[in-house]
Amino acid sequence: MTVESTAARTPRRSAGSKAGTTGTKRTRTTAKKDAGTEPQLVQLLTPEGKRVKNAEYDKYVAGITPEELRGLYRDMVLTRRFDAEATSLQRQGELGLWASLLGQEAAQIGSGRATREDDYVFPTYREHGVAWCRGVDPANLLGMFRGVNNGGWDPNSNNFQLYTIVIGSQTLHATGYAMGVAKDGADSAVIAYFGDGASSQGDVAESFTFSAVYNAPVVFFCQNNQWAISEPTEKQSRVPIYQRAQGFGFPGVRVDGNDVLGVLAVTRWALERARSGEGPTLVEAFTYRMGAHTTSDDPTRYRGDEERQAWEAKDPILRLRRYLEASNHADDGFFAELETESEALGKRVREAVRAMPDPDHFAIFENAYADGHALVDEERAQFAAYQASFADEGGN
Amino acid sequence: MADKMALAKAINESLRRALESDPKVLIMGEDVGKLGGVFRVTDGLQKDFGESRVIDTPLAESGIVGTAIGLALRGYRPVVEIQFDGFVFPAYDQIVTQLAKMHARSLGKVKLPVVVRIPYGGGIGAVEHHSESPEALFAHVAGLKIVSPSNASDAYWMMQQAIQSDDPVIFFEPKRRYWDKGEVNTEAIPGPLHKAQVVREGTDLTLAAYGPMVKLCQEVADAAAEEGRNLEVLDLRSVSPLDFDSIQASVEKTRRLVVVHEAPVFFGSGAEIAARITERCFYHLEAPVLRVGGYHAPYPPARLEEEYLPNLDRVLDAVDRSLAY
Ligand SMILES: Cc1ncc(C[n+]2csc(CCOP(=O)(O)OP(=O)(O)O)c2C)c(N)n1
Ligand SMILES: [Mg+2]
């Protein structure tokens, strides 16, 4: 007998710290300080929305206009709105998973807006705010969380690499990319995002080594959101993370990650260092993961709500709003208009996700190789014949 | 005492028993302590045995396995958790170049009784790197033993035996079956760790599988029975060593063999089984050994995984093809 005899059939049942002592004292490049002393935090805007002077970093935001400040505010509000929409889409079953950036808007918008168009960004899986700054369509970020693709955007159209789930890997890619930039004699810079947990990975330590040895134009941007799933930062490091840089031979700075202005200034400084051939910098943005690790996580198992409440008082959006209002840089009309824009964004994202088609089955075999592969072709053909064996029976 | 419990709970109980009975047993991994692991397999263990025995490690897999090797050199019996299949690779170097080879290099003087637990396989709609089946990448390496239970009772007993083994054991846990309940008799006398078990007797064809695919094969056998076909289902339980004697005995009876695994078919464990069984019982076979498994393509996004993973129809299709010879 041959296999043809079994070709046509119907489917049979397949189912398918005190951190951030947000004090208002003047701060400076903490890398110069000895390890073991109370880490200082660069901060330009206090939680109360007061602008504090900073001798070292003020110049990086000196010319900032009210319009630009409103822009930063708008970015943060829209990013938070998008994030909330994604969380609710997950609850509704439209997404399989979501990793919320709630609380980290200033760290991401401040650093993202510091980048230039020709700079290159290497994100983790949580950099939705940075993606926004790079002009990646928010809806495109949701494909992988919906399960229709494993990436879904062209990294080169916005110089924004695909999300990286394997912790720490991207820091080496960023370093290599930066080594290439230097070889080309370009004055672009590269920025690699990673978390406090990731700081323990061998890949991250190796990226520090390589970038230092080759003086690569890369900024390591660590969002210390105090948690790696259930493990607090103390489980990863006995010294503040920014101090790690010193041992590798480049500067590290801790910035208040909930202060968008501070983050913008410090990141501009670090990117400028990269551009001007001064090599790598480590920026530790001291912030807080206000939500669960992902929608699969239950943080009540490992942390109390008091901590969260303490951080609520340092909210990044609230403090910029206070500043904008106190300095008369924004009026009620601006905030109202933004509210409308926000809702429209939510709606657009919702609709885009719901309309996202499931991928064609043959997508499994697409792009496994650039130059093709005989076995993939063979398996695709077998798959096609197998699928067709059901279609044959479809009419009856 | 026989209790009905979920597979994840059975592993939890087994780890608890090991911690109670041997002070050298340690649990290590990311989020295994306070959280009890992302699948709650180590739930409650840190609370009861303390932070020095149930250890939340830094986020570094090479570090986890590398330090487990050192602890084993010092006389401990670490049971380490890799959070998901796709995250074992930072530790692959330590596992392949060190863990697997130390016994041989020391001319047998050094034993490394390390268990590496890996929740593996797909079917849970996860994002990438959370659904892979990398067992063949470890089976290729001499010095490692590789097992994968399919049910709660085996999960319990195989974990006991893995921890007692003086060889390193990679313990692949079928994550999509974590919540499946089964009887666990904690006073039973278990059979050997690396022996396959006939879980359903049949005469017409042998389905061989391990871990998550055993249940599927049982469903296939049920469906085939409705069509008058009497399939035997063999739960291999161990990928290295493989129990070729049991496969051979079954195939000499049924004369047909289909191997099912989630891992890609190309260079997968099914390929090794097909080759050995063809050598051992060429004249008994009425059909070539067929394999059903993943394709030679990256594990697809969640909305395609049903097309990628072996399912009832795909296995039945292979059964039909085998019987058609
Ligand atoms: C190599 C690797 N190991 C484990 C995981 C599982 N995992 C995903 S996120 C995470 C914690 C990451 O913490 P952190 O680096 O602080 O980033 P955050 O999630 O806080 O943004 C872990 C352990 C992974 N994705 N990759
Ligand atoms: Mg973190």
Side-chain angles (χ1 to χ4, degrees), chain B residues 276-324:
Chain B
R276 299 261 174 187
I277 291 304
T278 305
E279 287 168 20
R280 284 184 176 220
C281 26
F282 187 67
Y283 291 108
H284 287 87
L285 285 168
E286 296 283 351
V289 179
L290 298 182
R291 294 163 291 159
V292 184
Y295 301 106
H296 188 60
Y299 196 91
R303 290 193 182 228
L304 284 174
E305 72 177 342
E306 268 190 33
E307 308 304 320
Y308 178 90
L309 290 169
N311 61 18
L312 194 83
D313 283 311
R314 272 179 65 203
V315 181
L316 282 169
D317 173 68
V319 168
D320 288 345
R321 281 188 285 125
S322 176
L323 289 167

Short mmCIF file of all heavy atoms in Angstrom, two decimals, chain B residues 276-324:
data_model
loop_
_atom_site.label_atom_id
_atom_site.label_comp_id
_atom_site.label_asym_id
_atom_site.label_seq_id
_atom_site.Cartn_x
_atom_site.Cartn_y
_atom_site.Cartn_z
N ARG B 276 18.53 2.79 15.90
CA ARG B 276 18.85 1.61 16.74
C ARG B 276 17.82 0.51 16.55
O ARG B 276 18.17 -0.66 16.52
CB ARG B 276 18.86 2.00 18.21
CG ARG B 276 19.88 3.04 18.54
CD ARG B 276 21.14 2.44 19.14
NE ARG B 276 22.09 3.55 19.28
CZ ARG B 276 23.35 3.42 19.63
NH1 ARG B 276 23.85 2.23 19.89
NH2 ARG B 276 24.12 4.48 19.72
N ILE B 277 16.55 0.89 16.48
CA ILE B 277 15.52 -0.14 16.36
C ILE B 277 15.61 -0.80 14.98
O ILE B 277 15.42 -2.01 14.84
CB ILE B 277 14.12 0.44 16.65
CG1 ILE B 277 14.04 0.79 18.15
CG2 ILE B 277 12.99 -0.48 16.25
CD1 ILE B 277 14.34 -0.37 19.11
N THR B 278 15.96 -0.03 14.00
CA THR B 278 16.15 -0.62 12.67
C THR B 278 17.31 -1.62 12.71
O THR B 278 17.23 -2.70 12.13
CB THR B 278 16.41 0.48 11.63
OG1 THR B 278 15.34 1.42 11.69
CG2 THR B 278 16.49 -0.09 10.22
N GLU B 279 18.36 -1.29 13.42
CA GLU B 279 19.48 -2.22 13.55
C GLU B 279 19.08 -3.46 14.34
O GLU B 279 19.45 -4.58 14.00
CB GLU B 279 20.66 -1.54 14.28
CG GLU B 279 21.39 -0.52 13.44
CD GLU B 279 22.35 0.35 14.27
OE1 GLU B 279 22.73 -0.07 15.38
OE2 GLU B 279 22.69 1.45 13.79
N ARG B 280 18.33 -3.24 15.40
CA ARG B 280 18.01 -4.36 16.30
C ARG B 280 16.92 -5.27 15.75
O ARG B 280 16.94 -6.47 16.00
CB ARG B 280 17.54 -3.83 17.65
CG ARG B 280 18.65 -3.31 18.53
CD ARG B 280 18.04 -2.92 19.85
NE ARG B 280 19.05 -2.49 20.81
CZ ARG B 280 19.03 -2.80 22.10
NH1 ARG B 280 18.06 -3.56 22.59
NH2 ARG B 280 19.96 -2.34 22.90
N CYS B 281 15.93 -4.70 15.11
CA CYS B 281 14.83 -5.58 14.68
C CYS B 281 14.37 -5.30 13.26
O CYS B 281 13.18 -5.18 13.00
CB CYS B 281 13.67 -5.58 15.66
SG CYS B 281 13.42 -4.14 16.68
N PHE B 282 15.33 -5.24 12.38
CA PHE B 282 15.06 -4.98 10.96
C PHE B 282 14.04 -5.97 10.39
O PHE B 282 13.09 -5.58 9.71
CB PHE B 282 16.38 -5.08 10.19
CG PHE B 282 16.28 -4.68 8.75
CD1 PHE B 282 16.01 -3.39 8.39
CD2 PHE B 282 16.46 -5.63 7.74
CE1 PHE B 282 15.93 -3.02 7.05
CE2 PHE B 282 16.37 -5.28 6.41
CZ PHE B 282 16.10 -3.97 6.06
N TYR B 283 14.21 -7.24 10.72
CA TYR B 283 13.33 -8.25 10.11
C TYR B 283 11.96 -8.33 10.76
O TYR B 283 11.07 -8.97 10.25
CB TYR B 283 14.03 -9.61 10.10
CG TYR B 283 15.20 -9.60 9.13
CD1 TYR B 283 16.51 -9.60 9.59
CD2 TYR B 283 14.96 -9.54 7.76
CE1 TYR B 283 17.58 -9.55 8.70
CE2 TYR B 283 16.02 -9.49 6.86
CZ TYR B 283 17.32 -9.49 7.33
OH TYR B 283 18.36 -9.43 6.45
N HIS B 284 11.81 -7.67 11.89
CA HIS B 284 10.48 -7.64 12.49
C HIS B 284 9.63 -6.49 11.97
O HIS B 284 8.42 -6.48 12.12
CB HIS B 284 10.59 -7.50 14.02
CG HIS B 284 11.05 -8.75 14.70
ND1 HIS B 284 12.38 -9.05 14.89
CD2 HIS B 284 10.34 -9.78 15.23
CE1 HIS B 284 12.48 -10.21 15.50
NE2 HIS B 284 11.26 -10.68 15.72
N LEU B 285 10.30 -5.50 11.41
CA LEU B 285 9.57 -4.28 11.05
C LEU B 285 8.77 -4.45 9.76
O LEU B 285 9.29 -4.94 8.75
CB LEU B 285 10.54 -3.11 10.89
CG LEU B 285 11.10 -2.51 12.19
CD1 LEU B 285 12.26 -1.57 11.87
CD2 LEU B 285 10.01 -1.78 12.96
N GLU B 286 7.52 -4.03 9.81
CA GLU B 286 6.67 -4.04 8.60
C GLU B 286 6.67 -2.67 7.92
O GLU B 286 6.15 -2.52 6.82
CB GLU B 286 5.22 -4.36 8.99
CG GLU B 286 5.01 -5.74 9.58
CD GLU B 286 5.01 -6.84 8.53
OE1 GLU B 286 5.01 -6.53 7.33
OE2 GLU B 286 5.04 -8.02 8.94
N ALA B 287 7.19 -1.70 8.63
CA ALA B 287 7.18 -0.32 8.10
C ALA B 287 8.39 0.40 8.67
O ALA B 287 8.90 0.01 9.73
CB ALA B 287 5.90 0.40 8.54
N PRO B 288 8.85 1.41 7.97
CA PRO B 288 9.94 2.19 8.55
C PRO B 288 9.47 2.84 9.85
O PRO B 288 8.28 3.11 10.01
CB PRO B 288 10.25 3.26 7.50
CG PRO B 288 9.06 3.30 6.61
CD PRO B 288 8.41 1.95 6.67
N VAL B 289 10.40 3.06 10.73
CA VAL B 289 10.06 3.77 11.96
C VAL B 289 9.71 5.21 11.58
O VAL B 289 10.48 5.87 10.88
CB VAL B 289 11.23 3.76 12.96
CG1 VAL B 289 10.86 4.53 14.23
CG2 VAL B 289 11.64 2.33 13.29
N LEU B 290 8.55 5.68 12.00
CA LEU B 290 8.15 7.05 11.66
C LEU B 290 8.26 7.94 12.89
O LEU B 290 8.17 7.46 14.02
CB LEU B 290 6.71 7.06 11.13
CG LEU B 290 6.47 6.27 9.84
CD1 LEU B 290 5.02 6.40 9.41
CD2 LEU B 290 7.39 6.75 8.72
N ARG B 291 8.46 9.21 12.61
CA ARG B 291 8.59 10.18 13.70
C ARG B 291 7.59 11.31 13.52
O ARG B 291 7.36 11.75 12.40
CB ARG B 291 10.01 10.77 13.71
CG ARG B 291 11.11 9.77 14.03
CD ARG B 291 12.47 10.30 13.62
NE ARG B 291 12.59 10.38 12.17
CZ ARG B 291 13.46 11.15 11.53
NH1 ARG B 291 14.29 11.91 12.21
NH2 ARG B 291 13.51 11.16 10.22
N VAL B 292 7.03 11.75 14.62
CA VAL B 292 6.19 12.95 14.59
C VAL B 292 6.78 13.92 15.60
O VAL B 292 7.02 13.55 16.76
CB VAL B 292 4.73 12.64 14.99
CG1 VAL B 292 3.86 13.90 14.86
CG2 VAL B 292 4.17 11.50 14.15
N GLY B 293 7.06 15.12 15.16
CA GLY B 293 7.66 16.10 16.07
C GLY B 293 7.66 17.47 15.46
O GLY B 293 6.90 17.76 14.52
N GLY B 294 8.48 18.32 15.99
CA GLY B 294 8.55 19.70 15.50
C GLY B 294 9.29 19.76 14.17
O GLY B 294 9.98 18.82 13.76
N TYR B 295 9.12 20.88 13.50
CA TYR B 295 9.76 21.10 12.21
C TYR B 295 11.12 21.73 12.38
O TYR B 295 11.47 22.21 13.46
CB TYR B 295 8.87 21.99 11.33
CG TYR B 295 7.51 21.38 11.08
CD1 TYR B 295 6.38 21.87 11.72
CD2 TYR B 295 7.37 20.28 10.24
CE1 TYR B 295 5.13 21.31 11.52
CE2 TYR B 295 6.12 19.70 10.03
CZ TYR B 295 5.01 20.22 10.67
OH TYR B 295 3.79 19.65 10.48
N HIS B 296 11.86 21.74 11.27
CA HIS B 296 13.18 22.38 11.30
C HIS B 296 13.00 23.88 11.09
O HIS B 296 13.30 24.45 10.05
CB HIS B 296 14.06 21.78 10.20
CG HIS B 296 15.48 22.23 10.28
ND1 HIS B 296 16.27 22.01 11.38
CD2 HIS B 296 16.26 22.92 9.40
CE1 HIS B 296 17.47 22.52 11.16
NE2 HIS B 296 17.48 23.09 9.98
N ALA B 297 12.45 24.50 12.11
CA ALA B 297 12.14 25.93 12.07
C ALA B 297 12.12 26.39 13.52
O ALA B 297 11.85 25.60 14.41
CB ALA B 297 10.76 26.14 11.43
N PRO B 298 12.38 27.67 13.74
CA PRO B 298 12.31 28.17 15.12
C PRO B 298 10.93 27.91 15.68
O PRO B 298 9.94 27.94 14.95
CB PRO B 298 12.56 29.68 14.98
CG PRO B 298 13.19 29.85 13.64
CD PRO B 298 12.69 28.73 12.78
N TYR B 299 10.86 27.68 16.98
CA TYR B 299 9.56 27.49 17.60
C TYR B 299 8.67 28.68 17.26
O TYR B 299 9.07 29.83 17.46
CB TYR B 299 9.70 27.34 19.12
CG TYR B 299 8.45 26.76 19.75
CD1 TYR B 299 8.31 25.39 19.90
CD2 TYR B 299 7.40 27.58 20.13
CE1 TYR B 299 7.15 24.85 20.44
CE2 TYR B 299 6.24 27.06 20.66
CZ TYR B 299 6.11 25.68 20.81
OH TYR B 299 4.96 25.15 21.34
N PRO B 300 7.49 28.42 16.73
CA PRO B 300 6.70 29.54 16.21
C PRO B 300 6.00 30.33 17.31
O PRO B 300 5.91 29.86 18.44
CB PRO B 300 5.66 28.82 15.34
CG PRO B 300 5.46 27.52 16.02
CD PRO B 300 6.80 27.14 16.61
N PRO B 301 5.48 31.51 16.95
CA PRO B 301 4.69 32.27 17.92
C PRO B 301 3.46 31.46 18.34
O PRO B 301 3.01 30.56 17.64
CB PRO B 301 4.31 33.53 17.17
CG PRO B 301 4.55 33.27 15.73
CD PRO B 301 5.61 32.21 15.67
N ALA B 302 2.93 31.84 19.51
CA ALA B 302 1.89 31.03 20.17
C ALA B 302 0.73 30.67 19.25
O ALA B 302 0.21 29.56 19.30
CB ALA B 302 1.38 31.77 21.40
N ARG B 303 0.34 31.61 18.40
CA ARG B 303 -0.85 31.33 17.59
C ARG B 303 -0.59 30.34 16.47
O ARG B 303 -1.50 30.01 15.69
CB ARG B 303 -1.44 32.63 17.05
CG ARG B 303 -2.05 33.39 18.22
CD ARG B 303 -2.92 34.53 17.78
NE ARG B 303 -3.40 35.21 18.97
CZ ARG B 303 -4.66 35.54 19.18
NH1 ARG B 303 -5.58 35.30 18.29
NH2 ARG B 303 -5.01 36.15 20.29
N LEU B 304 0.64 29.89 16.35
CA LEU B 304 0.94 28.85 15.37
C LEU B 304 1.37 27.55 16.03
O LEU B 304 1.64 26.57 15.35
CB LEU B 304 2.06 29.33 14.42
CG LEU B 304 1.65 30.33 13.35
CD1 LEU B 304 2.89 30.81 12.60
CD2 LEU B 304 0.66 29.70 12.39
N GLU B 305 1.42 27.53 17.35
CA GLU B 305 2.04 26.35 17.95
C GLU B 305 1.21 25.10 17.78
O GLU B 305 1.74 24.00 17.73
CB GLU B 305 2.46 26.58 19.41
CG GLU B 305 1.37 26.65 20.42
CD GLU B 305 1.91 26.82 21.84
OE1 GLU B 305 3.09 26.56 22.10
OE2 GLU B 305 1.12 27.24 22.71
N GLU B 306 -0.09 25.25 17.61
CA GLU B 306 -0.91 24.06 17.36
C GLU B 306 -0.56 23.39 16.05
O GLU B 306 -0.76 22.19 15.88
CB GLU B 306 -2.39 24.42 17.39
CG GLU B 306 -2.99 24.26 18.75
CD GLU B 306 -4.49 24.39 18.74
OE1 GLU B 306 -5.12 24.00 17.74
OE2 GLU B 306 -5.02 24.91 19.73
N GLU B 307 -0.11 24.20 15.11
CA GLU B 307 0.28 23.63 13.82
C GLU B 307 1.66 22.98 13.91
O GLU B 307 2.01 22.13 13.12
CB GLU B 307 0.33 24.71 12.73
CG GLU B 307 -0.93 25.55 12.63
CD GLU B 307 -2.16 24.70 12.42
OE1 GLU B 307 -2.08 23.72 11.65
OE2 GLU B 307 -3.19 25.01 13.04
N TYR B 308 2.44 23.47 14.83
CA TYR B 308 3.84 23.02 14.96
C TYR B 308 3.94 21.77 15.82
O TYR B 308 4.69 20.85 15.52
CB TYR B 308 4.65 24.16 15.57
CG TYR B 308 6.11 23.84 15.83
CD1 TYR B 308 7.09 24.09 14.85
CD2 TYR B 308 6.52 23.32 17.05
CE1 TYR B 308 8.42 23.81 15.10
CE2 TYR B 308 7.84 23.03 17.31
CZ TYR B 308 8.79 23.28 16.32
OH TYR B 308 10.11 23.00 16.58
N LEU B 309 3.16 21.74 16.88
CA LEU B 309 3.26 20.63 17.83
C LEU B 309 2.51 19.40 17.32
O LEU B 309 1.48 19.52 16.68
CB LEU B 309 2.64 21.05 19.17
CG LEU B 309 3.40 22.09 19.97
CD1 LEU B 309 2.53 22.60 21.12
CD2 LEU B 309 4.70 21.50 20.50
N PRO B 310 3.04 18.23 17.65
CA PRO B 310 2.28 17.02 17.32
C PRO B 310 0.91 17.08 17.99
O PRO B 310 0.80 17.52 19.14
CB PRO B 310 3.12 15.90 17.96
CG PRO B 310 4.48 16.47 18.10
CD PRO B 310 4.30 17.94 18.33
N ASN B 311 -0.12 16.71 17.26
CA ASN B 311 -1.45 16.64 17.86
C ASN B 311 -2.09 15.33 17.44
O ASN B 311 -1.49 14.51 16.73
CB ASN B 311 -2.29 17.86 17.48
CG ASN B 311 -2.50 17.98 15.99
OD1 ASN B 311 -2.32 17.01 15.24
ND2 ASN B 311 -2.89 19.16 15.54
N LEU B 312 -3.31 15.15 17.86
CA LEU B 312 -4.00 13.90 17.60
C LEU B 312 -3.98 13.53 16.12
O LEU B 312 -3.64 12.41 15.73
CB LEU B 312 -5.44 14.03 18.10
CG LEU B 312 -6.21 12.72 18.20
CD1 LEU B 312 -5.89 12.03 19.51
CD2 LEU B 312 -7.70 12.99 18.11
N ASP B 313 -4.33 14.49 15.30
CA ASP B 313 -4.41 14.19 13.87
C ASP B 313 -3.07 13.87 13.25
O ASP B 313 -2.95 12.98 12.42
CB ASP B 313 -5.06 15.37 13.13
CG ASP B 313 -6.56 15.38 13.33
OD1 ASP B 313 -7.18 14.32 13.15
OD2 ASP B 313 -7.10 16.44 13.69
N ARG B 314 -2.07 14.61 13.68
CA ARG B 314 -0.75 14.35 13.07
C ARG B 314 -0.22 12.98 13.48
O ARG B 314 0.43 12.30 12.69
CB ARG B 314 0.25 15.45 13.44
CG ARG B 314 0.18 16.62 12.45
CD ARG B 314 1.14 17.72 12.82
NE ARG B 314 2.52 17.29 12.74
CZ ARG B 314 3.53 17.87 13.40
NH1 ARG B 314 3.27 18.88 14.20
NH2 ARG B 314 4.76 17.44 13.25
N VAL B 315 -0.48 12.60 14.70
CA VAL B 315 0.00 11.27 15.12
C VAL B 315 -0.83 10.19 14.45
O VAL B 315 -0.29 9.19 13.95
CB VAL B 315 -0.01 11.13 16.66
CG1 VAL B 315 0.51 9.75 17.07
CG2 VAL B 315 0.83 12.22 17.31
N LEU B 316 -2.14 10.40 14.36
CA LEU B 316 -2.97 9.43 13.65
C LEU B 316 -2.56 9.29 12.19
O LEU B 316 -2.60 8.20 11.63
CB LEU B 316 -4.45 9.83 13.75
CG LEU B 316 -5.12 9.51 15.10
CD1 LEU B 316 -6.48 10.19 15.18
CD2 LEU B 316 -5.26 8.00 15.31
N ASP B 317 -2.18 10.40 11.62
CA ASP B 317 -1.71 10.38 10.24
C ASP B 317 -0.48 9.48 10.11
O ASP B 317 -0.38 8.67 9.19
CB ASP B 317 -1.39 11.82 9.80
CG ASP B 317 -0.74 11.88 8.43
OD1 ASP B 317 -1.42 11.56 7.44
OD2 ASP B 317 0.47 12.23 8.37
N ALA B 318 0.43 9.60 11.07
CA ALA B 318 1.62 8.75 11.04
C ALA B 318 1.26 7.29 11.29
O ALA B 318 1.81 6.38 10.66
CB ALA B 318 2.63 9.24 12.09
N VAL B 319 0.29 7.08 12.16
CA VAL B 319 -0.18 5.71 12.41
C VAL B 319 -0.75 5.13 11.11
O VAL B 319 -0.41 4.01 10.72
CB VAL B 319 -1.26 5.70 13.53
CG1 VAL B 319 -1.98 4.36 13.61
CG2 VAL B 319 -0.63 6.06 14.87
N ASP B 320 -1.57 5.91 10.45
CA ASP B 320 -2.14 5.46 9.17
C ASP B 320 -1.04 5.14 8.16
O ASP B 320 -1.10 4.14 7.46
CB ASP B 320 -3.04 6.55 8.57
CG ASP B 320 -4.35 6.72 9.33
OD1 ASP B 320 -4.69 5.82 10.14
OD2 ASP B 320 -5.03 7.75 9.13
N ARG B 321 -0.07 6.02 8.10
CA ARG B 321 1.01 5.81 7.12
C ARG B 321 1.79 4.55 7.44
O ARG B 321 2.16 3.79 6.55
CB ARG B 321 1.93 7.03 7.08
CG ARG B 321 1.33 8.18 6.27
CD ARG B 321 2.31 9.32 6.06
NE ARG B 321 2.49 10.11 7.26
CZ ARG B 321 3.67 10.36 7.83
NH1 ARG B 321 4.78 9.88 7.30
NH2 ARG B 321 3.74 11.10 8.92
N SER B 322 2.03 4.33 8.72
CA SER B 322 2.77 3.13 9.11
C SER B 322 1.96 1.87 8.78
O SER B 322 2.47 0.91 8.19
CB SER B 322 3.09 3.19 10.60
OG SER B 322 3.71 1.99 11.01
N LEU B 323 0.68 1.92 9.11
CA LEU B 323 -0.16 0.74 8.87
C LEU B 323 -0.40 0.49 7.39
O LEU B 323 -0.78 -0.59 6.99
CB LEU B 323 -1.50 0.91 9.60
CG LEU B 323 -1.42 0.81 11.14
CD1 LEU B 323 -2.70 1.30 11.78
CD2 LEU B 323 -1.11 -0.63 11.57
N ALA B 324 -0.17 1.53 6.60
CA ALA B 324 -0.41 1.40 5.16
C ALA B 324 0.69 0.60 4.45
O ALA B 324 0.52 0.21 3.30
CB ALA B 324 -0.55 2.78 4.54
#
